[in-house]
């Protein structure tokens, strides 16, 4: 008798992805921002600007953020200045709303920034 196919993990993964892409309420955003110093809600996006010691350091940080974005499969708007990096993130698939995916990306950027000398 042939073995039955294994149950797919896709429905569970899809449910988790859908939950992380659900829009957060203004209260939820405010609560989550308390753990992200320097980040704010501006124009419906989570935003933060960092100052770095040089253009090279700022460029290296942009590359590092891009790596994290690829890992999370979630991408922000990055603006590279001479010695600054600005990040703005929202979830296009949620109608441009802020979701848990945005908060996670902001947290990951917040965690990597000090390694680049960003403040």
């Amino acid at each position: 008798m042939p073995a039955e196919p294994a149950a797919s993990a896709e429905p569970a993964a899809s449910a988790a992805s859908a939950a992380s892409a659900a829009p957060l309420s203004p209260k939820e955003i405010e609560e989550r921002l308390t753990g992200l110093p320097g980040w704010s809600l501006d124009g419906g996006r989570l935003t933060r600007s960092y100052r770095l010691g040089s253009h090279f350091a700022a460029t290296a940080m942009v590359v590092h953020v891009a790596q994290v974005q690829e890992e999370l499969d979630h991408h922000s708007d990055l603006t590279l200045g001479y010695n600054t990096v600005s990040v703005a993130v929202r979830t296009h698939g949620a109608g441009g709303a802020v979701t848990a995916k945005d908060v996670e990306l902001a947290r990951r950027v917040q965690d990597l920034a000090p390694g680049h000398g960003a403040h």
Side-chain angles (χ1 to χ4, degrees), residues 60-83:
M61 183 172 162
V62 166
V63 171
H64 197 168
V65 171
Q67 289 173 326
V68 170
Q69 292 177 144
E70 285 298 305
E71 178 185 322
L72 296 176
D73 192 26
H74 191 57
H75 303 85
S76 67
D77 293 327
L78 291 171
T79 304
L80 173 63
Y82 170 72
N83 64 343

Side-chain angles (χ1 to χ4, degrees), residues 30-42:
E30 182 180 327
E31 289 170 355
R32 294 180 190 206
L33 282 173
T34 62
L36 294 167
W39 286 82
S40 62
L41 184 64
D42 182 24

Side-chain angles (χ1 to χ4, degrees), residues 14 21 27-28 35 56 80 87 118:
S14 294
K27 182 178 180 181
E28 289 173 312
F56 185 80
L80 173 63
V87 184

